Amino acid sequence: MVAAMWIRSTLTYRASFALTLLSNLVVTFFDLVVILLMFGQVRALGGFSFPEVAFLYGTTATSFGLADLVMGSLPRMGKRVRDGSFDTFLLRPAPVLAQVAADRFGLRRLGRVTQGLIVLIWSLVLLAQSSLVAWTPLKVLLVPVMLVSGAVIFGAVMVIGASVLFWAQDAAEVTNSFTYGGNNLLQFPPTIFAQDLVRGVVYVVPLAFVNWLPALYVLGRPAPDGVPAGAAFASPLVAGVCCAVAGLAWRTGLRAYRSTGS
Amino acid sequence: MGHVLRLYGTVAAGGFRRHATYRVATAAGVFTNTVFGFILSYTYMALWDARPALGGYTQADALAYVWLGQGLITVCGLMGGGFEDELIERIRTGDIAVDLYRPADLQAWWFSANLGRSAYQLLGRGVLPMLFGSLVFDFTLPAGPGTWLAFLLAVTLGSIVSFALWYLVAMSAFWLLDGQGVVQVAWLGGLFFSGMLLPLNVFPGTLGEIARLLPWASLLQVPADVYLGRYEGWALLGAYAFQACWAVVLLAAGRLVQTAATRKVVVQGG
């Protein structure tokens, strides 16, 4: 209902809405242009060809887009905690997290998901043409599972980041490192990064489960050193654990919340 | 004349102090810029491994470029000037009417405040990510103090061009009321054409030629090339002239739009 309210309000300024929708379509497009420009200069990055990198790009962009669609409003919360307008959420008879997520709900964020899906489909066509992937029913099934688990992992990271805002209202940007930064990281093959960094995104912030590990399996490439082969199928499990941690963080933050009194 | 300068000096100092109070935000920003610097560094290393001397840069130059970009994001407003949201909000709510009655010029007021903000960001968010980057990656450092000074001047000019661009964006709110759409488009333009994602000298053919002529090239590409010592003597003056030309043109355009807006537009609210 809160979301519907914001959709109505967005549509009031039509010209501006058209521009934001367009720019959201274009924002991921520029990421892609950069990759295209890179592949204009080289034939492979870290041993990965363009269709493979496009597959990595499409999977993470779609997952991130879905998470952003639902949870993208969370960083605004810091401002509301600071100026005290967060109190309104506590008075309404609806789950607080759902209300915060729906705050300034942006229909324009559909642009991101659409863009990700288009690239994903394109990469699948390219992969089929170059017959780089030997598809099995398991691999086919793994793609949607990866997209949904990935979205849940990104969403959980966004909730954890928002929970921190109860204490440090100005720290919203840190979450960007893990969400936007993670999205950026996962667009490129793990082979180009230092192996310590790769281990970090497997074991510390489990971003590798968004797409790297399942995608490496789909592409028929070995998992990074020291990562068990079964990890490719662990994404839903990891997503579940992330949700539990996020739920805990959110409830702790909410309990610690003291209104500004203004 | 003296008291006018003193007024704007005070406004600039206020801009500096105001942003200096957001310490947590600065720390968060430094952290984010450092993380992005790492990710970009590795992708650039993969690219320059495959194509050494791409765009006339060595790998060490390309890495320096990455960290300069992260350092200058807020200083030169690559992804937003840091003041336009507030200005647009004042236009939307009608508070701008109060500003227009002040005995100070609107554009000069915001220009001074932004200069103070920019100076703070250079110290707060510019230096630390570069320091972290230099500890981990082997990147090009300027030849000497002269190059650092030349770089600082290019950054100042870049910050002024950025202000002029974002001021124009904010002025559009007089007509569109909700400035978010224009802000997003400007944000995208800045992101891509400033060369933050990929140096403009790597852009191919006509796209590259056009990108290097647009005002956004003043924000990162030109300061970075000055830092890397790619301009010397007359060429350096030419680079400054390029930035200064865009600054003058855009500031004049902002002035024109401001005059048109205050004359024509009905201010919102009571």
Side-chain angles (χ1 to χ4, degrees):
Chain A
M1 207 183 68
V2 183
M5 178 186 88
W6 280 112
I7 292 172
R8 266 206 311 282
S9 104
T10 317
L11 289 175
T12 317
Y13 301 114
R14 265 169 218 286
S16 190
F17 173 68
L19 274 174
T20 41
L21 187 67
L22 184 75
S23 69
N24 266 266
L25 267 163
V26 179
V27 69
T28 36
F29 179 68
F30 274 154
D31 276 355
L32 184 68
V33 169
V34 167
I35 294 178
L36 284 170
L37 286 177
M38 285 181 166
F39 274 93
Q41 309 281 358
V42 296
R43 305 203 49 188
L45 271 179
F48 281 59
S49 63
F50 177 70
E52 292 172 300
V53 173
F55 181 69
L56 289 174
Y57 178 100
T59 45
T60 184
T62 308
S63 292
F64 181 73
L66 283 171
D68 183 58
L69 185 67
V70 181
M71 298 292 182
S73 302
L74 291 185
R76 298 185 49 79
M77 207 189 79
K79 194 169 161 259
R80 291 206 180 272
V81 170
R82 192 171 47 225
D83 68 16
S85 60
F86 187 78
D87 291 3
T88 344
F89 294 131
L90 299 174
L91 298 172
R92 292 196 194 124
V96 178
L97 182 59
Q99 291 183 56
V100 179
D103 187 23
R104 297 241 166 160
F105 179 81
L107 201 56
R108 57 170 197 276
R109 301 208 195 101
L110 276 173
R112 239 177 222 288
V113 186
T114 317
Q115 192 74 52
L117 275 172
I118 291 171
V119 178
L120 178 60
I121 292 166
W122 183 33
S123 77
L124 290 173
V125 172
L126 289 175
L127 286 173
Q129 277 171 355
S130 53
S131 39
L132 273 165
V133 175
W135 288 99
T136 60
L138 189 61
K139 285 184 179 180
V140 175
L141 190 69
L142 197 54
V143 175
V145 169
M146 163 173 31
L147 293 180
V148 174
S149 317
V152 174
I153 294 172
F154 270 134
V157 172
M158 290 174 187
V159 172
I160 294 169
S163 310
V164 176
L165 299 181
F166 284 113
W167 291 279
Q169 293 101 32
D170 288 336
E173 236 190 299
V174 171
T175 315
N176 289 354
S177 318
F178 298 107
T179 52
Y180 286 86
N183 181 37
N184 219 298
L185 179 83
L186 299 172
Q187 290 168 4
F188 291 96
T191 45
I192 70 173
F193 297 101
Q195 290 313 296
D196 285 337
L197 191 76
V198 174
R199 267 191 288 279
V201 291
V202 175
Y203 296 111
V204 186
V205 189
L207 288 173
F209 292 92
V210 169
N211 74 339
W212 269 357
L213 299 177
L216 288 176
Y217 175 81
V218 170
L219 296 172
R221 288 180 176 266
D225 280 344
V227 179
F233 306 99
S235 295
L237 194 72
V238 172
V241 173
C242 287
C243 280
V245 174
L248 201 68
W250 178 258
R251 232 166 293 154
T252 314
L254 202 55
R255 215 169 295 141
Y257 174 67
R258 298 276 177 274
S259 178
T260 54
S262 60
Chain B
M1 191 62 204
H3 72 275
V4 172
L5 277 180
R6 218 171 24 250
L7 166 69
Y8 292 123
T10 314
V11 174
F16 185 97
R17 262 206 308 281
R18 181 173 159 207
H19 283 270
T21 55
Y22 299 130
R23 286 207 201 98
V24 179
T26 305
V30 167
F31 180 78
T32 309
N33 292 148
T34 308
V35 169
F36 271 90
F38 265 84
I39 298 171
L40 270 178
S41 289
Y42 282 113
T43 57
Y44 279 26
M45 274 156 72
L47 189 60
W48 262 268
D49 267 342
R51 276 290 307 274
L54 180 63
Y57 284 171
T58 63
Q59 195 179 71
D61 290 346
L63 287 174
Y65 186 95
V66 167
W67 292 95
L68 284 170
Q70 292 305 313
L72 294 182
I73 283 181
T74 48
V75 181
C76 291
L78 301 179
M79 296 173 69
F83 70 91
E84 67 283 350
D85 280 344
E86 193 189 346
L87 181 50
I88 287 170
E89 191 60 18
R90 291 190 77 79
I91 294 172
R92 205 177 60 82
T93 55
D95 288 344
I96 195 78
V98 183
D99 301 344
L100 288 170
Y101 273 108
R102 285 206 185 114
D105 177 73
L106 192 67
Q107 194 184 27
W109 176 282
W110 285 93
F111 179 88
S112 318
N114 185 59
L115 218 54
R117 183 200 64 85
S118 220
Y120 170 71
Q121 299 291 17
L122 187 65
L123 297 173
R125 286 184 63 168
V127 176
L128 273 182
M130 278 207 72
L131 210 65
F132 290 139
S134 69
L135 290 177
V136 179
F137 299 96
D138 200 6
F139 66 66
T140 311
L141 289 169
T147 316
W148 278 112
L149 275 178
F151 169 65
L152 211 59
L153 180 55
V155 170
T156 311
L157 285 166
S159 154
I160 292 172
V161 173
S162 158
F163 166 80
L165 275 167
W166 288 106
Y167 192 76
L168 264 178
V169 169
M171 284 294 111
S172 74
F174 271 111
W175 287 272
L176 295 168
L177 302 183
D178 172 45
Q180 280 315 304
V182 186
V183 167
Q184 286 237 346
V185 170
W187 177 73
L188 280 174
L191 191 69
F192 188 66
F193 288 110
S194 65
M196 199 183 98
L197 298 170
L198 202 64
L200 297 180
N201 52 13
V202 175
F203 283 25
T206 322
L207 177 66
E209 276 163 39
I210 294 172
R212 287 188 287 271
L213 286 176
L214 293 175
W216 291 284
S218 313
L219 310 189
L220 171 60
Q221 186 68 54
V222 173
D225 281 337
V226 170
Y227 171 100
L228 292 171
R230 282 163 61 105
Y231 295 116
E232 265 160 16
W234 287 106
L236 183 62
L237 285 181
Y240 289 150
F242 170 79
Q243 290 180 301
C245 277
W246 272 122
V248 169
V249 167
L250 292 166
L251 284 173
R255 162 69 35 151
L256 268 177
V257 177
Q258 176 190 327
T259 314
T262 47
R263 195 175 302 148
K264 217 177 102 182
V265 172
V266 179
V267 171
Q268 297 243 325

